[in-house]
Amino acid sequence: MCGVLGLVSHEPVNQSLYDGLQMLQHRGQDAAGIVTVEGSTFHMHKGKGMVREVFRTRNMRDLTGNAGIAHVRYPTAGNAGSSAEAQPFYVSSPFGIVLAHNGNLTNTAELYENVCNKHLRHINTSSDSEVLLNVFAHELRHEVSGNAGKRLSVDNIFNAVGVVNRLVRGAYGVVAMIAGYGMVAFRDPNGIRPLVLGSQTDSDGRKSYAVASESVAFNALAFDLERDIAPGEAVFITLDGQFFSRRCSGKTALNPCLFEYVYFARPDSVIDGVSVYQARLDMGVSLAEKIKRELPVDDIDVVMPIPDTSRPSAMELAVHLQKPYREGLIKNRYIGRTFIMPGQATRKKSVRQKLSPMESEFKGKSVLLVDDSIVRGTTSREIVEMVRAAGARKVYIASAAPEVRYPNVYGIDMPTREELIANGRTTAEIAREISADGIVFQDLNDLETVVKALNPAIQAFDSSCFNGVYLTGDIDEAYLQRLSAEKAGCGGLKIHPSKMEHSISGNESDDGEE
């Protein structure tokens, strides 16, 4: 689950892109990148690490221009260990295009064959995002080939996006910059990955525009959230601030990823008309009702969240169970989000560094721990051990999400069934596996009902990791087996381009001037 951000302004955007990217840091901690455009010239800096680690003062000074795009990477497809996989990606023809992508494509291998063997384009990494960029670039070149003077029109851009939507399968929220023209952003026809539009009007009445994965990015920039970009819609904003939009897909549906509301999105974001915070509060209410049916509530002394994402659900759950709410697990905020850390060994090691139990809150008590979800079970098992060692008499677990039983192929790093603790296990077996005295999972129907109630326009959800239903219709058992075979620590069906040394000046992060 990467984070993307794009800005077209009447002022320099380098600081705004940096500030907005920090607000999206929760969506990816593996790499970060910013590209600004000044006329027809791109200025790029990207590298491995957190936003604050990648960018130094001298890097920021070089990122001149009044428009640009930015990205934080969470590895799902490609080589997580390579700085070459950091986004945005660049292609020189036509015009010069940079692109940043949140999501995951499901027909990457087919697209790669067409791009490289049929269209004779070179792919330098194993990232599906670079493939997507080259598909878009080829269609844009085809569109403009018949134009007098080879000038690009707004119709050309939207027509190219329309072809991309027909060719590409999977989930994607995209921001791209075309040198000398402006910024284009588009969303997959199923609306799986989020993409929001914001704006700001200055004292002279001039309007600036922003596009981001989450509305929370606008808070730091003093931009107003205008609306979500619709499934299959593309927007184009010229470098002087003219705005255009068009639906570029014949068949569209709003099917947002349910896991955004459960875990990935920040609580202060609004996605597809739904307040993430309110959704998590309501999840706690419905989960409390199930706990009353399945756990010995009288035996529960206290309700505690496993911080941070589950806190709203835990608070509301405690109210409805009429139980005290306590904070017994203290989080070290200098450790990254465990779920999106690459590599099982790194995830397991970080749990005890991230959370510290207060013995006074656990000693002799029967505790109900509330988590947002349980995926691999690594964190849950370690936490139960810590809580028991702190003196808890009993440890129950409640998950605001249903059991994660199926691989996700649309951009979440849980692609193989072998990794999922709920795969092939009953609820009782999961409890034994993590050494809990009992466990309750939210019902999928209840979870979907909670979120849909906050925006009835949502037709359905991508709930594939819970129910195994894949909206794109191209995922079968053979695909999932290939996915498992190809997984190399970061997920995704990998492509294998020829290795060639290639770099853009200034694309590595290094130490130095702060």
Side-chain angles (χ1 to χ4, degrees):
M1 303 290 285
C2 302
V4 300
L5 175 65
L7 286 172
V8 176
S9 180
H10 301 281
E11 304 290 340
V13 296
N14 52 355
Q15 186 66 53
S16 294
L17 287 169
Y18 179 90
D19 293 343
L21 213 54
Q22 284 200 310
M23 299 294 281
L24 297 174
Q25 184 73 84
H26 61 286
R27 298 188 68 86
Q29 302 164 11
D30 181 66
I34 293 176
V35 176
T36 58
V37 61
E38 197 171 25
S40 296
T41 302
F42 288 133
H43 306 287
M44 176 185 289
H45 184 77
K46 60 181 182 176
K48 292 276 291 178
M50 307 276 275
V51 174
R52 66 175 181 268
E53 299 165 343
V54 172
F55 298 97
R56 304 296 191 217
T57 302
R58 63 178 177 275
N59 309 135
M60 298 301 295
R61 282 200 295 258
D62 293 337
L63 295 172
T64 54
N66 293 352
I69 65 174
H71 185 268
V72 285
R73 175 176 161 81
Y74 154 67
T76 57
N79 181 4
S82 171
S83 60
E85 304 269 338
Q87 296 187 42
F89 284 113
Y90 165 78
V91 69
S92 61
S93 176
F95 311 111
I97 305 171
V98 288
L99 178 144
H101 163 223
N102 167 34
N104 202 54
L105 308 186
T106 58
N107 63 334
T108 306
E110 172 191 337
L111 295 170
Y112 175 78
E113 288 298 319
N114 285 338
V115 164
C116 294
N117 296 335
K118 185 176 178 181
H119 305 318
L120 303 180
R121 287 181 168 268
H122 176 70
I123 304 296
N124 198 49
T125 71
S126 59
S127 172
D128 61 341
S129 302
E130 190 182 8
V131 174
L132 177 60
L133 166 60
N134 277 273
V135 172
F136 176 60
H138 173 77
E139 297 307 326
L140 205 58
R141 183 181 182 86
H142 176 75
E143 278 290 321
V144 79
S145 62
N147 291 0
K150 300 296 187 288
R151 291 290 300 172
L152 183 65
S153 70
V154 174
D155 284 341
N156 293 150
I157 295 169
F158 289 146
N159 290 343
V161 173
V163 177
V164 169
N165 286 338
R166 290 197 299 272
L167 295 175
V168 171
R169 294 192 298 273
Y172 47 94
V174 172
V175 292
M177 194 69 67
I178 305 171
Y181 288 92
M183 181 175 72
V184 59
F186 54 95
R187 189 179 182 190
D188 65 86
N190 287 300
I192 298 174
R193 295 273 69 86
L195 203 60
V196 292
L197 174 69
S199 67
Q200 179 190 76
T201 303
D202 65 17
S203 57
D204 295 323
R206 300 178 302 177
K207 200 166 186 179
S208 300
Y209 290 95
V211 173
S213 293
E214 289 184 39
S215 63
V216 70
F218 302 155
N219 297 349
L221 310 179
F223 272 64
D224 296 321
L225 171 63
E226 286 205 354
R227 61 180 178 85
D228 296 274
I229 292 177
E233 182 187 13
V235 301
F236 175 65
I237 302 142
T238 65
L239 293 178
D240 60 1
Q242 298 179 68
F243 179 87
F244 304 88
S245 68
R246 183 181 301 174
R247 194 179 82 167
C248 298
S249 180
K251 184 179 180 182
T252 62
L254 181 55
N255 302 306
C257 174
L258 198 55
F259 217 70
E260 289 278 357
Y261 302 102
V262 169
Y263 175 82
F264 269 104
R266 274 182 45 151
D268 42 348
S269 283
V270 177
I271 295 178
D272 288 313
V274 173
S275 161
V276 175
Y277 181 74
Q278 187 62 53
R280 289 175 184 169
L281 289 175
D282 296 347
M283 290 174 201
V285 177
S286 59
L287 183 57
E289 293 303 314
K290 188 173 182 183
I291 288 171
K292 291 176 183 178
R293 300 191 299 269
E294 297 194 2
L295 288 182
V297 176
D298 291 342
D299 188 44
I300 296 172
D301 297 319
V302 64
V303 175
M304 294 185 186
I306 297 175
D308 283 319
T309 318
S310 65
R311 187 172 282 117
S313 297
M315 289 191 298
E316 202 71 359
L317 186 151
V319 169
H320 281 263
L321 291 184
Q322 297 182 328
K323 296 292 180 179
Y325 172 88
R326 293 289 187 271
E327 297 269 351
L329 294 166
I330 306 304
K331 184 176 181 181
N332 178 353
R333 302 191 181 280
Y334 299 96
I335 300 293
R337 300 183 88 185
T338 311
F339 177 72
I340 61 174
M341 284 184 174
Q344 182 77 349
T346 306
R347 279 188 292 266
K348 186 172 182 178
K349 179 181 177 182
S350 71
V351 173
R352 289 180 183 269
Q353 296 173 340
K354 184 175 74 169
L355 296 174
S356 176
M358 290 194 296
E359 290 190 10
S360 61
E361 291 297 328
F362 292 104
K363 194 170 183 180
K365 295 179 182 178
S366 178
V367 180
L368 174 61
L369 298 176
V370 181
D371 209 349
D372 50 74
S373 58
I374 298 174
V375 181
R376 298 172 178 88
T378 306
T379 301
S380 301
R381 189 181 299 111
E382 293 281 310
I383 289 172
V384 170
E385 290 178 7
M386 284 194 297
V387 169
R388 289 197 189 280
R393 177 171 58 86
K394 286 187 179 179
V395 184
Y396 298 102
I397 298 280
S399 169
E403 299 94 321
V404 177
R405 297 191 182 278
Y406 301 92
N408 183 281
V409 300
Y410 299 128
I412 300 176
D413 184 21
M414 46 181 176
T416 65
R417 281 163 288 194
E418 293 78 12
E419 289 183 285
L420 306 177
I421 193 170
N423 178 53
R425 291 187 177 96
T426 65
T427 301
E429 289 170 339
I430 297 170
R432 285 196 296 271
E433 186 70 20
I434 64 174
S435 301
D437 293 289
I439 191 166
V440 173
F441 290 90
Q442 183 95 257
D443 286 335
L444 178 57
N445 183 65
D446 290 342
L447 178 59
E448 292 183 340
T449 299
V450 160
V451 180
K452 194 178 292 186
L454 297 173
N455 181 9
I458 296 176
Q459 297 150 310
F461 296 93
D462 165 40
S463 303
S464 54
C465 58
F466 304 124
N467 60 13
V469 177
Y470 298 98
L471 297 171
T472 52
D474 58 336
I475 308 302
D476 55 17
E477 183 61 27
Y479 183 99
L480 297 176
Q481 288 179 359
R482 292 198 307 275
L483 192 66
S484 295
E486 287 280 354
K487 187 173 186 290
C490 61
L493 278 173
K494 297 196 294 182
I495 56 175
H496 302 278
S498 59
K499 299 300 180 183
M500 183 182 77
E501 292 297 325
H502 177 74
S503 65
I504 296 178
S505 177
N507 71 342
E508 295 295 335
S509 172
D510 53 12
D511 295 326
E513 181 184 3
E514 294 296 336

